[in-house]
Amino acid sequence: MPTAPPATLPTTPAARLRAVLDRIATAAARAGRSADDVTLIAVSKRHPAAEVVALRDAGQLQFGENRVQEAADKFPELKAATPALGLHLVGQLQSNKAADAVRLFDTIHSLDRASLVRALAKLERVPPCFVQVNIGDEPQKGGCAIDALPDLLAQAREAGLPVVGLMSVPPAELEPAPFFALTAELGARHDLHQISMGMSGDFEVAIALGATHVRVGTALFGDRP
Ligand SMILES: *Cc1c(COP(=O)(O)O)cnc(C)c1O
């Protein structure tokens, strides 16, 4: 089973960030990797903008949100004030919100179907995209089926979209390691070397298996309200 995040977190944003960065450094060192090759994305969904500001002030610059509207409410001012801030869309994207999404987000982690490829291809500027794979074959989850990945990648590349990697979310109730290993293997097979996987409960396992981007919410912000 995935290990749960610690029940009690350090009390200040800076201390929580330090703790997560230390765990990333330790996991990377154990895997013979450089911590610089792992990008921490602070997933701030459902947490107020003030908490994002506090973490930004502690030095964190990459943030993730799962809904376009919530990000549009929280981030424009912050992004204007902090040009180096990177915003990552980690939740499902409806085709009719694609234009709004590319205006706001610097990276999309949830490209998962042909209709979204077509919607994005019509836009002028598309940020780097990860193709999300439904790695546990769960009907309720986003992500393209493993079998459909080669076709979707071909369509995205044909349309000129900047596909940089794969993203996955393993089934919540299962040991994540085999799903992380499969995600990395699929990435290698398709020459995609950025791998977005690992959350608060399992990011160290993900780093051991090749994650280049970990998406951490609870361990940085506490439980979501
Ligand atoms: C919410 C979310 C996360 C962060 O989850 P935590 O368990 O709070 O770290 C990561 N990835 C995605 C896609 C999410 O929706």
Side-chain angles (χ1 to χ4, degrees), residues 24 28 33-35 37-39 166 180 184 193-198 202-215:
I24 289 173
R33 303 181 55 202
S34 164
D37 295 336
V38 181
T39 298
L166 297 182
F180 290 150
H193 302 290
Q194 300 195 47
I195 303 291
S196 168
M197 60 185 187
D202 56 21
F203 66 83
E204 285 133 316
V205 181
I207 290 167
L209 292 165
T212 60
H213 294 68
V214 294
R215 309 176 310 265

Side-chain angles (χ1 to χ4, degrees), residues 5 41-47 64-66 89-92 109-110 132 167-169 196-203 214-224:
I41 299 169
V43 180
S44 50
K45 66 184 186 211
R46 309 215 314 261
H47 292 287
E65 285 282 338
N66 69 335
L89 178 63
V90 303
Q92 229 171 16
H109 290 243
S110 51
Q132 183 178 352
M167 182 273 224
S168 72
V169 183
S196 168
M197 60 185 187
M199 319 201 306
S200 291
D202 56 21
F203 66 83
V214 294
R215 309 176 310 265
V216 177
T218 309
L220 290 168
F221 294 101
D223 289 331
R224 281 179 279 279

